[in-house]
Amino acid sequence: MADFKFTPDQDAAIASRANMVITACPGSGKTTVVVEKIRNEVQSLPDYKGVIGITFTVKASKELKQRCKKGACDLKSSYFGTIDHFCLSEIIYPFGARLIGHSSSAVECKLFDEVPQNLKEQIPTISGYTGDIKTGIYSTFEQDIKTLYKNGYVLLELLGVMANHILNASLACQNYFRAKYSSLYVDEYQDSSEPQHMLFLKFIDLGLTGVAVGDTQQSIYAWRGSNPEYITSLTAQPDVFEHHIININHRCHPSITNYSNRLFNPTCDLISTDEIRVHRWSYQGTQLNVSEQVSDSIQRIIEKGITDSYSKIGILVRNNISLEFLEQKLKVPFRIFDEDPLAVRNTRITNLFASLLRYRLIEDYRINDVIETVVRYIKVQEQQVVNLRRLISDVIGKEYGELEESIIKISEGIFDCVVSDSDKELIHNICVDSKLLKHYMPINENEVQVMTLHKSKGLEFDVVYHLDLYDWVHPKRRVVQGSWDVHYDNWEQELNLHFVGITRARKHCILVTSSNRLNYQHQVKNGNPSQFFDLPGLEGLYT
């Protein structure tokens, strides 16, 4: 990176102090631009002020913070984290009681499914609701929200709705943000939901500078309530938001960039290249046969020196069932990145469990990383830090048989609570299952990385095997009774997902299909190729 030179478009985005939208293609260096903007900005701020950096995942927020801190850069009073943690730690926990009412115990964030059944019976409006989660529903849910809060719960699904209500109604909350923060940076804005979008606009009304970064072609979370129309609505307001376009892909081989761009525009200009590195391979048999053949191909790639490590090879699939097929038949060292059971539950207890496991299992995961997790949920006074460190350090050296008990004891001590039976069962299952424990261990340089397309967002590999390119599977189709026409679940989202998969590849992208496929019932079906193969403008761009 020593010789890295910013492009004119990147320089313009970095230099401007206005509200802006940065639309950036994969591999364009958008994180580098955001890092440079933040580092420049915080230098001029007093110690009590900072910026807000919102990212889509905890991993992304840690990376952003570390890159901003490089060279001992003082980030002052800045906040880095996910939107959920931001809503909880900066809005709901400190200001919620004034508007919602006081809780009988420490407030805990839970998914609706994890709320005790007897309490669900006391929140009939929320329990019976099946519509979209938007800010306007707060008044409808107000009584139920207060009932939950009084019993020590906030719903993960309603964090954005609650945060908007508190920010709009509490002058103390508004004054806090005006005094403490100068700017708000939101990455992956195309994956914002309506409540997140409304929060962003409110902060701009309060006088903070807003920077939204995203790419509508990488919008893949519509099923979570995300909608790319929100970032599009910002670019449609040139009097409020400057629009900076960063569209040079520095990651992918030119032939991969050409293929991926033609998915959306069959007549777009092509980058000059002497070599085609997008490959379409069709095998005989089902996904099980594909797994064996891909194993042989990977061995050849390593032998030829196309990449020097198994971990620089990614196998990306559309569905979780495909992970099972790969697990059965892959013949190379591999690691499957499936759903992290603690992240799925996503409460303060389970997030602390995950942090303690990483502290025990990852050499360069520090005690301060665990403390960072703790302070998202409770205030820690300076005089309490020594005792907190002593408590956390109990996990070090514990063998797997003792690990579960130690983690529960530490968590109860830190949060002054009793860990629920369901959380105890979850940490027990993880501690006795070597496959589940892998979620909290460092990546082995000697393992191919296997995951769903959704999980691959933000990652990159020298070589990508993009599997599951079958009719019915990707793009996903649905049956409509009485109709013989082809109906897709969501063509646009599926195409975006395909685009994300292809653009994870630096050197080679291999698009894989086969003569047959196994469905969810493990029945053998014809493996007709994906409709993505028939898109106009792709001829001559693959081997």
Side-chain angles (χ1 to χ4, degrees):
M1 289 294 288
D3 299 325
F4 182 81
K5 291 265 196 301
F6 288 111
T7 66
D9 291 332
Q10 290 173 324
D11 273 328
I14 291 165
S16 174
R17 293 296 179 95
N19 295 320
M20 71 174 66
V21 181
I22 301 174
T23 50
C25 72
S28 62
K30 54 132 174 152
T31 306
T32 305
V33 169
V34 170
V35 166
E36 195 70 11
K37 279 185 70 66
I38 291 174
R39 285 166 62 88
N40 289 348
E41 183 175 348
V42 293
Q43 287 176 23
S44 62
L45 296 177
D47 288 347
Y48 60 85
K49 263 192 125 118
V51 302
I52 301 166
I54 301 293
T55 56
F56 201 69
T57 64
V58 173
K59 181 185 173 190
S61 77
K62 287 181 77 71
E63 182 193 343
L64 180 62
K65 185 175 183 180
Q66 285 166 356
R67 288 178 65 174
C68 289
K69 282 171 71 174
K70 203 167 181 183
C73 177
D74 184 358
L75 297 178
K76 312 289 174 66
S77 296
S78 296
Y79 175 95
F80 294 89
T82 64
I83 187 68
D84 289 344
H85 288 137
F86 175 74
C87 290
L88 276 171
S89 63
E90 292 290 280
I91 301 177
I92 295 171
Y93 286 153
F95 300 101
R98 304 179 196 196
L99 292 170
I100 303 171
H102 288 280
S103 170
S104 58
S105 58
V107 178
E108 188 172 0
C109 181
K110 281 193 179 291
L111 288 160
F112 175 78
D113 287 346
E114 295 171 344
V115 172
Q117 185 57 40
N118 66 323
L119 191 51
K120 283 182 183 174
E121 292 165 7
Q122 298 176 48
I123 50 170
T125 311
I126 289 176
S127 296
Y129 188 73
T130 56
D132 294 333
I133 304 293
K134 294 191 174 180
T135 47
I137 63 174
Y138 182 86
S139 56
T140 307
F141 288 170
E142 186 166 22
Q143 193 50 54
D144 284 5
I145 287 171
K146 287 181 174 178
T147 300
L148 282 165
Y149 200 86
K150 183 182 174 186
N151 284 276
Y153 297 109
V154 293
L155 285 186
L156 183 67
E157 294 93 335
L158 294 180
L159 291 186
V161 172
M162 293 176 67
N164 270 284
H165 173 72
I166 293 165
L167 184 59
N168 279 289
S170 169
L171 287 176
C173 185
Q174 293 172 17
N175 290 333
Y176 167 78
F177 282 105
R178 282 196 191 100
K180 189 176 177 188
Y181 297 113
S182 62
S183 295
L184 169 65
Y185 293 79
V186 181
D187 196 12
E188 308 290 4
Y189 202 96
Q190 77 281 350
D191 291 324
S192 290
S193 63
E194 189 264 0
Q196 293 163 10
H197 176 61
M198 298 306 290
L199 272 178
F200 182 77
L201 295 179
K202 180 62 180 178
F203 282 123
I204 289 171
D205 284 345
L206 292 175
L208 279 72
T209 301
V211 179
V213 186
D215 176 8
T216 56
Q217 292 175 351
Q218 294 187 72
S219 169
I220 58 174
Y221 290 102
W223 49 277
R224 286 186 184 171
S226 305
N227 196 323
E229 75 178 25
Y230 300 123
I231 191 169
T232 305
S233 73
L234 300 181
T235 59
Q237 302 176 64
D239 53 328
V240 182
F241 296 96
E242 291 182 358
H243 185 191
H244 294 265
I245 301 170
I246 304 173
N247 58 4
I248 299 174
N249 184 333
H250 303 281
R251 174 197 299 154
C252 303
H253 185 268
S255 66
I256 298 172
T257 300
N258 286 338
Y259 189 100
S260 63
N261 287 342
R262 281 283 175 97
L263 295 176
F264 301 98
N265 181 354
T267 59
C268 72
D269 292 338
L270 299 175
I271 306 167
S272 175
T273 178
D274 296 330
E275 192 180 358
I276 301 293
R277 293 194 184 175
V278 178
H279 317 277
R280 290 186 184 177
W281 290 357
S282 181
Y283 294 114
Q284 288 299 307
T286 67
Q287 296 98 317
L288 294 172
N289 304 100
V290 167
S291 300
E292 294 176 328
Q293 305 253 20
V294 164
S295 299
D296 296 337
S297 168
I298 288 170
Q299 294 289 24
R300 290 194 296 271
I301 279 172
I302 294 290
E303 288 163 11
K304 288 179 180 176
I306 291 170
T307 186
D308 59 1
S309 164
Y310 282 118
S311 68
K312 292 178 184 174
I313 299 172
I315 302 178
L316 312 182
V317 299
R318 178 64 183 87
N319 297 317
N320 284 327
I321 191 170
S322 299
L323 299 177
E324 296 174 24
F325 299 141
L326 287 161
E327 189 170 22
Q328 288 178 52
K329 293 292 183 178
L330 269 183
K331 299 181 291 186
V332 292
F334 67 93
R335 175 170 175 174
I336 290 180
F337 290 81
D338 53 0
E339 288 294 348
D340 168 355
L342 293 173
V344 168
R345 196 161 288 190
N346 195 25
T347 64
R348 62 176 188 164
I349 292 291
T350 59
N351 288 331
L352 179 55
F353 282 0
S355 194
L356 289 166
L357 281 171
R358 291 189 176 99
Y359 180 49
R360 166 65 182 84
L361 300 170
I362 301 176
E363 194 174 328
D364 58 359
Y365 195 90
R366 308 295 184 196
I367 202 165
N368 284 345
D369 295 316
V370 184
I371 293 173
E372 269 189 30
T373 302
V374 172
V375 297
R376 288 186 208 143
Y377 304 104
I378 59 172
K379 283 182 179 167
V380 176
Q381 305 296 337
E382 204 170 322
Q383 62 269 28
Q384 295 174 298
V385 172
V386 173
N387 189 48
L388 189 59
R389 286 175 171 272
R390 182 189 56 75
L391 203 55
I392 293 167
S393 63
D394 182 71
V395 82
I396 289 299
K398 287 286 188 289
E399 295 304 320
Y400 294 153
E402 311 167 295
L403 195 51
E404 162 196 347
E405 185 184 337
S406 175
I407 286 172
I408 292 169
K409 186 180 82 173
I410 293 167
S411 302
E412 291 184 335
I414 288 174
F415 289 135
D416 190 22
C417 67
V418 177
V419 171
S420 68
D421 289 341
S422 65
D423 284 342
K424 285 178 179 176
E425 183 183 3
L426 183 56
I427 192 65
H428 169 76
N429 292 339
I430 289 167
C431 287
V432 299
D433 187 329
S434 58
K435 184 186 163 201
L436 290 177
L437 273 174
K438 270 196 168 187
H439 286 290
Y440 316 100
M441 294 178 175
I443 291 173
N444 185 331
E445 283 300 312
N446 205 35
E447 292 177 328
V448 172
Q449 299 186 55
V450 182
M451 66 196 72
T452 63
L453 289 158
H454 279 100
K455 285 273 182 200
S456 72
K457 183 82 173 286
L459 303 178
E460 55 183 59
F461 307 95
D462 282 352
V463 180
V464 162
Y465 290 84
H466 181 344
L467 276 53
D468 283 348
L469 284 161
Y470 304 108
D471 177 25
W472 287 101
V473 178
H474 189 36
K476 188 179 178 187
R477 277 170 63 182
R478 56 191 167 91
V479 176
V480 175
Q481 292 300 326
S483 172
W484 292 98
D485 295 333
V486 173
H487 296 273
Y488 299 105
D489 248 20
N490 188 325
W491 170 270
E492 189 177 87
Q493 288 279 298
E494 291 285 320
L495 186 60
N496 289 348
L497 201 53
H498 185 44
F499 174 77
V500 165
I502 290 168
T503 54
R504 298 312 93 198
R506 285 188 289 253
K507 296 180 179 179
H508 288 270
C509 181
I510 303 161
L511 308 175
V512 180
T513 186
S514 58
S515 59
N516 299 98
R517 65 178 175 87
L518 295 168
N519 67 7
Y520 277 100
Q521 287 80 39
H522 289 234
Q523 299 164 325
V524 177
K525 301 286 185 181
N526 285 334
N528 297 324
S530 167
Q531 286 83 352
F532 294 147
F533 284 178
D534 297 327
L535 290 171
L538 298 178
E539 204 58 48
L541 300 184
Y542 60 90
T543 62

